[in-house]
Amino acid sequence: MNFDAFISYSSQDKTVAHAACAYLENAGVRCWIAPRDIVAGGEYGAAIVDAIDSCKVMVLIFSASANNSGQIRREIERAVSKGVAIVPLRIEQVLPTKSMEYFLGAIHWLDAITPPLETHLQKLADTIKALLGAREGPAEAAAALYTPQREATAAKPADNASPPLRRLWLPLSLAAAACVIALAGVGFFVLRHTPPLPVAQITPQVTPQVTTPAPPTVAPSPPPPQPVHKAVALVPEAVPFLRNADRAALRNDYMPAPDHKAVAISYNRVGFTTGQPDDETAKTAALDACKREQQAIRNSNPCWLYAVGNTVVFTGGSPPMPPSPWLVRNAAIETPFNPEIVPILNEHNRATWAKGYLNLHTPKAAALSPRGQAIDFYGGEGDEDVRRALESCGHMAGIPCIIIAIDNTFVVPIPTTMKVSGFFSPATSPSIKPDMRGALIERFGNASNAWNAVAVGLSGVPGVAINANDEKDAIDKALSRCGERDRECRVIALGPFLVQPLEAAKETK
């Protein structure tokens, strides 16, 4: 069987790849993806070669792991040799290696780095469908997909060209209105004007001379049309907050079921219904099912309507997430979880949340927001708890969160000699000179999860310590390097956190 699109991806990007596959197939694009479409007992390499040869487009899920994959490099080389169009979907902020750039350097990329993922998948689907249509039509249409979009501009007429008829609409309209008023015998207005040139005499060679009367009162212009929001197809693998098992149930049981149907979600559970008499009944039944699931686990979180039919109606959007990878563990900085030193939380929240987290079974994960929310999940598979904690925390806070604990271990450096006041962002720190932020962003972007520190002086020149031995070593090195180029230096960041001296924090409080 011939397929439209071959999906090339690293095993570490399985979730995004399957979400893209589902989205494209919902849009009518036939996809080939491994291992789903490899016949049992068939040879893996041969199946991939046959699939690439029979597809019209290759979708490359591009990430750091894909960038370094020899298997993906061979798939791309095969696609290029067979004239298969390649559409890279970049999900991480990484640059292609030289060997990758050799094949992909001249190709237009689609970025899916920022949430929500559904928006980028919709653009991917539109691009693939347009490309498939173009490959069956003129070659110029296919080439248009790989050039930057340009704003259309109207062609200007030549200087000696006569004005078109549409330029005369205002004087003609005014004259016609005056005639109607005069014939009706209305004497409240006195209009003095030169009669317009008869329409029959208006030719491209004659420029009519019209004396425009004083403009009458003009009614307010109607408001501009509101933008039409494109419907977003339901992709089970992209539904936030849910367990992997719940996403699988949506894929296997809900998606193929008949209308009328609906899905409702909460931070913990999902409820859905199918085969109802109408959409309104389906909505009510889905919300009721979600609430029953919440009651079963004695949880009072709200339920939201997420989808009706196979279309997303949830207005909350995708939760803001930190860049991938969400967590890189480093045993050198990990310490036992201690509720007393969890940063940012106020005393009440720390006592309440920390007690609950300690009582959870493992595996578990805890996320923290710069606004003082802490969210945890337990009992998941792989990085399921990490994802759910970050999604729920980001949805509540409105900004990305970070993972601070896995099981009963802190997995980020937790300052104890300085007061944490928020999350550190090199790109927006007002203490750092703007022309020096770019270099700092690059250094922190390449740094591991370790005792990293930034100190800054009066002139905004930063001193940076990367991969220090401990908190004190990071502070000392950052201050020393700042002092070499600036004066009155102070430490503003430790690990992922903004910090200030404990004495200054007490005075501010």
mmCIF file of all heavy atoms in Angstrom, residues 168-207:
data_model
loop_
_atom_site.group_PDB
_atom_site.id
_atom_site.type_symbol
_atom_site.label_atom_id
_atom_site.label_comp_id
_atom_site.label_asym_id
_atom_site.label_seq_id
_atom_site.Cartn_x
_atom_site.Cartn_y
_atom_site.Cartn_z
ATOM 1 N N LEU A 168 -14.483 56.588 -8.882
ATOM 2 C CA LEU A 168 -15.532 57.602 -8.975
ATOM 3 C C LEU A 168 -16.732 57.302 -8.100
ATOM 4 O O LEU A 168 -17.724 58.021 -8.143
ATOM 5 C CB LEU A 168 -16.010 57.709 -10.439
ATOM 6 C CG LEU A 168 -14.898 58.026 -11.461
ATOM 7 C CD1 LEU A 168 -15.480 58.025 -12.851
ATOM 8 C CD2 LEU A 168 -14.241 59.342 -11.148
ATOM 9 N N TRP A 169 -16.632 56.239 -7.310
ATOM 10 C CA TRP A 169 -17.840 55.828 -6.567
ATOM 11 C C TRP A 169 -18.312 56.878 -5.595
ATOM 12 O O TRP A 169 -19.504 57.096 -5.408
ATOM 13 C CB TRP A 169 -17.587 54.508 -5.833
ATOM 14 C CG TRP A 169 -16.665 54.617 -4.661
ATOM 15 C CD1 TRP A 169 -15.339 54.506 -4.660
ATOM 16 C CD2 TRP A 169 -17.031 54.908 -3.306
ATOM 17 N NE1 TRP A 169 -14.815 54.703 -3.422
ATOM 18 C CE2 TRP A 169 -15.833 54.949 -2.561
ATOM 19 C CE3 TRP A 169 -18.245 55.153 -2.639
ATOM 20 C CZ2 TRP A 169 -15.817 55.214 -1.208
ATOM 21 C CZ3 TRP A 169 -18.217 55.403 -1.286
ATOM 22 C CH2 TRP A 169 -17.022 55.441 -0.585
ATOM 23 N N LEU A 170 -17.384 57.609 -4.929
ATOM 24 C CA LEU A 170 -17.800 58.581 -3.926
ATOM 25 C C LEU A 170 -18.544 59.757 -4.543
ATOM 26 O O LEU A 170 -19.667 60.083 -4.139
ATOM 27 C CB LEU A 170 -16.584 59.050 -3.121
ATOM 28 C CG LEU A 170 -16.891 60.070 -2.024
ATOM 29 C CD1 LEU A 170 -17.908 59.489 -1.044
ATOM 30 C CD2 LEU A 170 -15.609 60.485 -1.294
ATOM 31 N N PRO A 171 -17.967 60.427 -5.595
ATOM 32 C CA PRO A 171 -18.723 61.548 -6.156
ATOM 33 C C PRO A 171 -20.023 61.115 -6.789
ATOM 34 O O PRO A 171 -21.035 61.815 -6.696
ATOM 35 C CB PRO A 171 -17.755 62.144 -7.188
ATOM 36 C CG PRO A 171 -16.664 61.166 -7.360
ATOM 37 C CD PRO A 171 -16.607 60.354 -6.137
ATOM 38 N N LEU A 172 -20.051 59.948 -7.453
ATOM 39 C CA LEU A 172 -21.306 59.482 -8.068
ATOM 40 C C LEU A 172 -22.355 59.184 -7.007
ATOM 41 O O LEU A 172 -23.541 59.488 -7.172
ATOM 42 C CB LEU A 172 -21.024 58.233 -8.903
ATOM 43 C CG LEU A 172 -20.227 58.473 -10.212
ATOM 44 C CD1 LEU A 172 -19.915 57.143 -10.878
ATOM 45 C CD2 LEU A 172 -21.007 59.370 -11.159
ATOM 46 N N SER A 173 -21.922 58.565 -5.907
ATOM 47 C CA SER A 173 -22.872 58.234 -4.838
ATOM 48 C C SER A 173 -23.462 59.494 -4.228
ATOM 49 O O SER A 173 -24.666 59.578 -3.945
ATOM 50 C CB SER A 173 -22.176 57.403 -3.765
ATOM 51 O OG SER A 173 -21.689 56.223 -4.325
ATOM 52 N N LEU A 174 -22.618 60.483 -4.004
ATOM 53 C CA LEU A 174 -23.104 61.726 -3.403
ATOM 54 C C LEU A 174 -24.098 62.431 -4.335
ATOM 55 O O LEU A 174 -25.120 62.967 -3.897
ATOM 56 C CB LEU A 174 -21.928 62.641 -3.093
ATOM 57 C CG LEU A 174 -20.974 62.135 -2.000
ATOM 58 C CD1 LEU A 174 -19.763 63.043 -1.904
ATOM 59 C CD2 LEU A 174 -21.701 62.065 -0.679
ATOM 60 N N ALA A 175 -23.776 62.440 -5.625
ATOM 61 C CA ALA A 175 -24.672 63.098 -6.573
ATOM 62 C C ALA A 175 -26.007 62.382 -6.639
ATOM 63 O O ALA A 175 -27.074 63.009 -6.672
ATOM 64 C CB ALA A 175 -24.022 63.135 -7.955
ATOM 65 N N ALA A 176 -25.968 61.038 -6.654
ATOM 66 C CA ALA A 176 -27.217 60.270 -6.705
ATOM 67 C C ALA A 176 -28.060 60.525 -5.470
ATOM 68 O O ALA A 176 -29.284 60.669 -5.535
ATOM 69 C CB ALA A 176 -26.909 58.790 -6.848
ATOM 70 N N ALA A 177 -27.414 60.608 -4.309
ATOM 71 C CA ALA A 177 -28.161 60.875 -3.077
ATOM 72 C C ALA A 177 -28.828 62.249 -3.142
ATOM 73 O O ALA A 177 -29.957 62.446 -2.683
ATOM 74 C CB ALA A 177 -27.218 60.796 -1.888
ATOM 75 N N ALA A 178 -28.122 63.230 -3.723
ATOM 76 C CA ALA A 178 -28.701 64.573 -3.813
ATOM 77 C C ALA A 178 -29.930 64.601 -4.693
ATOM 78 O O ALA A 178 -30.924 65.272 -4.402
ATOM 79 C CB ALA A 178 -27.642 65.543 -4.350
ATOM 80 N N CYS A 179 -29.874 63.846 -5.813
ATOM 81 C CA CYS A 179 -31.030 63.807 -6.716
ATOM 82 C C CYS A 179 -32.238 63.187 -6.041
ATOM 83 O O CYS A 179 -33.371 63.647 -6.176
ATOM 84 C CB CYS A 179 -30.665 63.022 -7.975
ATOM 85 S SG CYS A 179 -29.443 63.852 -9.005
ATOM 86 N N VAL A 180 -32.003 62.114 -5.284
ATOM 87 C CA VAL A 180 -33.122 61.450 -4.606
ATOM 88 C C VAL A 180 -33.778 62.388 -3.605
ATOM 89 O O VAL A 180 -34.997 62.490 -3.490
ATOM 90 C CB VAL A 180 -32.637 60.164 -3.918
ATOM 91 C CG1 VAL A 180 -33.732 59.577 -3.049
ATOM 92 C CG2 VAL A 180 -32.204 59.149 -4.971
ATOM 93 N N ILE A 181 -32.951 63.124 -2.873
ATOM 94 C CA ILE A 181 -33.487 64.035 -1.865
ATOM 95 C C ILE A 181 -34.292 65.153 -2.526
ATOM 96 O O ILE A 181 -35.376 65.539 -2.067
ATOM 97 C CB ILE A 181 -32.336 64.619 -1.020
ATOM 98 C CG1 ILE A 181 -31.683 63.498 -0.205
ATOM 99 C CG2 ILE A 181 -32.818 65.717 -0.099
ATOM 100 C CD1 ILE A 181 -30.433 63.932 0.518
ATOM 101 N N ALA A 182 -33.780 65.664 -3.650
ATOM 102 C CA ALA A 182 -34.493 66.757 -4.328
ATOM 103 C C ALA A 182 -35.829 66.277 -4.854
ATOM 104 O O ALA A 182 -36.852 66.980 -4.748
ATOM 105 C CB ALA A 182 -33.629 67.302 -5.462
ATOM 106 N N LEU A 183 -35.872 65.089 -5.466
ATOM 107 C CA LEU A 183 -37.121 64.555 -6.007
ATOM 108 C C LEU A 183 -38.137 64.301 -4.918
ATOM 109 O O LEU A 183 -39.343 64.365 -5.141
ATOM 110 C CB LEU A 183 -36.844 63.263 -6.774
ATOM 111 C CG LEU A 183 -36.057 63.447 -8.104
ATOM 112 C CD1 LEU A 183 -35.702 62.082 -8.697
ATOM 113 C CD2 LEU A 183 -36.887 64.249 -9.096
ATOM 114 N N ALA A 184 -37.693 63.963 -3.744
ATOM 115 C CA ALA A 184 -38.616 63.690 -2.640
ATOM 116 C C ALA A 184 -39.141 64.968 -2.018
ATOM 117 O O ALA A 184 -40.000 64.928 -1.133
ATOM 118 C CB ALA A 184 -37.932 62.863 -1.578
ATOM 119 N N GLY A 185 -38.621 66.097 -2.395
ATOM 120 C CA GLY A 185 -39.128 67.363 -1.867
ATOM 121 C C GLY A 185 -38.643 67.680 -0.487
ATOM 122 O O GLY A 185 -39.261 68.465 0.238
ATOM 123 N N VAL A 186 -37.529 67.086 -0.106
ATOM 124 C CA VAL A 186 -37.015 67.359 1.222
ATOM 125 C C VAL A 186 -36.229 68.650 1.177
ATOM 126 O O VAL A 186 -35.278 68.770 0.406
ATOM 127 C CB VAL A 186 -36.122 66.213 1.710
ATOM 128 C CG1 VAL A 186 -35.585 66.532 3.099
ATOM 129 C CG2 VAL A 186 -36.919 64.919 1.738
ATOM 130 N N GLY A 187 -36.626 69.634 1.961
ATOM 131 C CA GLY A 187 -35.979 70.943 1.924
ATOM 132 C C GLY A 187 -35.119 71.247 3.100
ATOM 133 O O GLY A 187 -34.793 72.408 3.320
ATOM 134 N N PHE A 188 -34.784 70.239 3.849
ATOM 135 C CA PHE A 188 -33.987 70.508 5.059
ATOM 136 C C PHE A 188 -32.513 70.692 4.756
ATOM 137 O O PHE A 188 -31.777 71.177 5.583
ATOM 138 C CB PHE A 188 -34.153 69.363 6.061
ATOM 139 C CG PHE A 188 -35.566 69.237 6.576
ATOM 140 C CD1 PHE A 188 -36.400 68.261 6.072
ATOM 141 C CD2 PHE A 188 -36.040 70.102 7.549
ATOM 142 C CE1 PHE A 188 -37.686 68.142 6.556
ATOM 143 C CE2 PHE A 188 -37.325 69.983 8.025
ATOM 144 C CZ PHE A 188 -38.163 69.015 7.521
ATOM 145 N N PHE A 189 -32.086 70.221 3.589
ATOM 146 C CA PHE A 189 -30.681 70.354 3.229
ATOM 147 C C PHE A 189 -30.570 71.102 1.908
ATOM 148 O O PHE A 189 -31.412 70.909 1.016
ATOM 149 C CB PHE A 189 -29.996 68.986 3.075
ATOM 150 C CG PHE A 189 -30.029 68.167 4.318
ATOM 151 C CD1 PHE A 189 -31.049 67.253 4.535
ATOM 152 C CD2 PHE A 189 -29.050 68.308 5.267
ATOM 153 C CE1 PHE A 189 -31.067 66.502 5.679
ATOM 154 C CE2 PHE A 189 -29.071 67.568 6.400
ATOM 155 C CZ PHE A 189 -30.082 66.658 6.613
ATOM 156 N N VAL A 190 -29.625 71.950 1.747
ATOM 157 C CA VAL A 190 -29.367 72.642 0.488
ATOM 158 C C VAL A 190 -28.041 72.127 -0.032
ATOM 159 O O VAL A 190 -27.014 72.324 0.610
ATOM 160 C CB VAL A 190 -29.296 74.174 0.695
ATOM 161 C CG1 VAL A 190 -28.989 74.865 -0.630
ATOM 162 C CG2 VAL A 190 -30.611 74.676 1.258
ATOM 163 N N LEU A 191 -28.085 71.463 -1.147
ATOM 164 C CA LEU A 191 -26.873 70.873 -1.701
ATOM 165 C C LEU A 191 -26.505 71.620 -2.973
ATOM 166 O O LEU A 191 -27.313 71.695 -3.913
ATOM 167 C CB LEU A 191 -27.109 69.402 -2.051
ATOM 168 C CG LEU A 191 -26.534 68.437 -1.047
ATOM 169 C CD1 LEU A 191 -27.609 67.551 -0.523
ATOM 170 C CD2 LEU A 191 -25.471 67.641 -1.716
ATOM 171 N N ARG A 192 -25.365 72.223 -2.968
ATOM 172 C CA ARG A 192 -24.882 72.906 -4.164
ATOM 173 C C ARG A 192 -23.768 72.072 -4.768
ATOM 174 O O ARG A 192 -22.754 71.835 -4.111
ATOM 175 C CB ARG A 192 -24.342 74.294 -3.795
ATOM 176 C CG ARG A 192 -25.452 75.228 -3.348
ATOM 177 C CD ARG A 192 -24.878 76.532 -2.877
ATOM 178 N NE ARG A 192 -24.060 76.351 -1.703
ATOM 179 C CZ ARG A 192 -23.353 77.327 -1.160
ATOM 180 N NH1 ARG A 192 -23.351 78.533 -1.688
ATOM 181 N NH2 ARG A 192 -22.616 77.092 -0.085
ATOM 182 N N HIS A 193 -23.960 71.652 -6.000
ATOM 183 C CA HIS A 193 -22.951 70.806 -6.615
ATOM 184 C C HIS A 193 -23.027 70.908 -8.123
ATOM 185 O O HIS A 193 -24.052 71.320 -8.671
ATOM 186 C CB HIS A 193 -23.150 69.350 -6.193
ATOM 187 C CG HIS A 193 -24.408 68.750 -6.725
ATOM 188 N ND1 HIS A 193 -25.640 69.008 -6.193
ATOM 189 C CD2 HIS A 193 -24.606 67.913 -7.778
ATOM 190 C CE1 HIS A 193 -26.561 68.354 -6.868
ATOM 191 N NE2 HIS A 193 -25.954 67.683 -7.843
ATOM 192 N N THR A 194 -22.000 70.521 -8.765
ATOM 193 C CA THR A 194 -21.983 70.402 -10.208
ATOM 194 C C THR A 194 -22.407 68.995 -10.568
ATOM 195 O O THR A 194 -21.852 68.036 -10.044
ATOM 196 C CB THR A 194 -20.570 70.652 -10.750
ATOM 197 O OG1 THR A 194 -20.165 71.950 -10.326
ATOM 198 C CG2 THR A 194 -20.534 70.572 -12.270
ATOM 199 N N PRO A 195 -23.401 68.847 -11.447
ATOM 200 C CA PRO A 195 -23.866 67.487 -11.768
ATOM 201 C C PRO A 195 -22.714 66.640 -12.288
ATOM 202 O O PRO A 195 -21.859 67.130 -13.015
ATOM 203 C CB PRO A 195 -24.926 67.705 -12.851
ATOM 204 C CG PRO A 195 -25.348 69.125 -12.685
ATOM 205 C CD PRO A 195 -24.156 69.868 -12.198
ATOM 206 N N PRO A 196 -22.693 65.385 -11.899
ATOM 207 C CA PRO A 196 -21.603 64.515 -12.348
ATOM 208 C C PRO A 196 -21.711 64.171 -13.817
ATOM 209 O O PRO A 196 -22.775 64.285 -14.420
ATOM 210 C CB PRO A 196 -21.776 63.266 -11.481
ATOM 211 C CG PRO A 196 -23.239 63.223 -11.191
ATOM 212 C CD PRO A 196 -23.673 64.673 -11.076
ATOM 213 N N LEU A 197 -20.624 63.772 -14.412
ATOM 214 C CA LEU A 197 -20.610 63.323 -15.783
ATOM 215 C C LEU A 197 -21.475 62.081 -15.907
ATOM 216 O O LEU A 197 -21.404 61.192 -15.078
ATOM 217 C CB LEU A 197 -19.172 62.986 -16.185
ATOM 218 C CG LEU A 197 -18.871 62.920 -17.683
ATOM 219 C CD1 LEU A 197 -19.017 64.302 -18.310
ATOM 220 C CD2 LEU A 197 -17.462 62.399 -17.890
ATOM 221 N N PRO A 198 -22.340 61.999 -16.921
ATOM 222 C CA PRO A 198 -23.152 60.788 -17.078
ATOM 223 C C PRO A 198 -22.263 59.560 -17.196
ATOM 224 O O PRO A 198 -21.178 59.602 -17.767
ATOM 225 C CB PRO A 198 -23.926 61.037 -18.382
ATOM 226 C CG PRO A 198 -23.932 62.520 -18.552
ATOM 227 C CD PRO A 198 -22.665 63.018 -17.933
ATOM 228 N N VAL A 199 -22.790 58.466 -16.653
ATOM 229 C CA VAL A 199 -21.998 57.246 -16.646
ATOM 230 C C VAL A 199 -21.631 56.826 -18.051
ATOM 231 O O VAL A 199 -20.539 56.329 -18.311
ATOM 232 C CB VAL A 199 -22.779 56.115 -15.934
ATOM 233 C CG1 VAL A 199 -22.052 54.792 -16.055
ATOM 234 C CG2 VAL A 199 -23.004 56.482 -14.486
ATOM 235 N N ALA A 200 -22.537 57.044 -19.015
ATOM 236 C CA ALA A 200 -22.271 56.607 -20.382
ATOM 237 C C ALA A 200 -21.064 57.310 -20.982
ATOM 238 O O ALA A 200 -20.441 56.814 -21.916
ATOM 239 C CB ALA A 200 -23.495 56.858 -21.262
ATOM 240 N N GLN A 201 -20.722 58.512 -20.450
ATOM 241 C CA GLN A 201 -19.602 59.253 -21.004
ATOM 242 C C GLN A 201 -18.273 58.938 -20.317
ATOM 243 O O GLN A 201 -17.243 59.465 -20.691
ATOM 244 C CB GLN A 201 -19.871 60.759 -20.894
ATOM 245 C CG GLN A 201 -21.084 61.201 -21.705
ATOM 246 C CD GLN A 201 -21.294 62.696 -21.593
ATOM 247 O OE1 GLN A 201 -20.364 63.429 -21.305
ATOM 248 N NE2 GLN A 201 -22.528 63.137 -21.814
ATOM 249 N N ILE A 202 -18.298 58.127 -19.281
ATOM 250 C CA ILE A 202 -17.061 57.806 -18.565
ATOM 251 C C ILE A 202 -16.322 56.722 -19.331
ATOM 252 O O ILE A 202 -16.794 55.610 -19.467
ATOM 253 C CB ILE A 202 -17.365 57.331 -17.136
ATOM 254 C CG1 ILE A 202 -18.063 58.433 -16.365
ATOM 255 C CG2 ILE A 202 -16.086 56.926 -16.421
ATOM 256 C CD1 ILE A 202 -18.506 58.026 -14.994
ATOM 257 N N THR A 203 -15.190 57.094 -19.865
ATOM 258 C CA THR A 203 -14.383 56.145 -20.634
ATOM 259 C C THR A 203 -12.970 56.187 -20.106
ATOM 260 O O THR A 203 -12.571 57.145 -19.441
ATOM 261 C CB THR A 203 -14.378 56.515 -22.125
ATOM 262 O OG1 THR A 203 -13.720 57.775 -22.275
ATOM 263 C CG2 THR A 203 -15.797 56.599 -22.674
ATOM 264 N N PRO A 204 -12.166 55.186 -20.402
ATOM 265 C CA PRO A 204 -10.778 55.188 -19.916
ATOM 266 C C PRO A 204 -9.953 56.365 -20.419
ATOM 267 O O PRO A 204 -8.923 56.671 -19.872
ATOM 268 C CB PRO A 204 -10.223 53.859 -20.458
ATOM 269 C CG PRO A 204 -11.414 52.987 -20.631
ATOM 270 C CD PRO A 204 -12.520 53.915 -21.034
ATOM 271 N N GLN A 205 -10.417 57.035 -21.512
ATOM 272 C CA GLN A 205 -9.644 58.148 -22.050
ATOM 273 C C GLN A 205 -10.021 59.490 -21.449
ATOM 274 O O GLN A 205 -9.400 60.498 -21.731
ATOM 275 C CB GLN A 205 -9.824 58.240 -23.573
ATOM 276 C CG GLN A 205 -9.165 57.105 -24.348
ATOM 277 C CD GLN A 205 -9.938 55.828 -24.263
ATOM 278 O OE1 GLN A 205 -11.159 55.857 -24.146
ATOM 279 N NE2 GLN A 205 -9.245 54.698 -24.307
ATOM 280 N N VAL A 206 -11.076 59.556 -20.648
ATOM 281 C CA VAL A 206 -11.563 60.835 -20.130
ATOM 282 C C VAL A 206 -11.498 60.821 -18.610
ATOM 283 O O VAL A 206 -11.958 59.880 -17.987
ATOM 284 C CB VAL A 206 -13.013 61.099 -20.588
ATOM 285 C CG1 VAL A 206 -13.518 62.413 -20.019
ATOM 286 C CG2 VAL A 206 -13.086 61.117 -22.101
ATOM 287 N N THR A 207 -10.931 61.853 -18.042
ATOM 288 C CA THR A 207 -10.913 62.008 -16.594
ATOM 289 C C THR A 207 -12.004 62.985 -16.214
ATOM 290 O O THR A 207 -11.907 64.181 -16.500
ATOM 291 C CB THR A 207 -9.563 62.540 -16.106
ATOM 292 O OG1 THR A 207 -8.536 61.646 -16.528
ATOM 293 C CG2 THR A 207 -9.561 62.666 -14.592
#
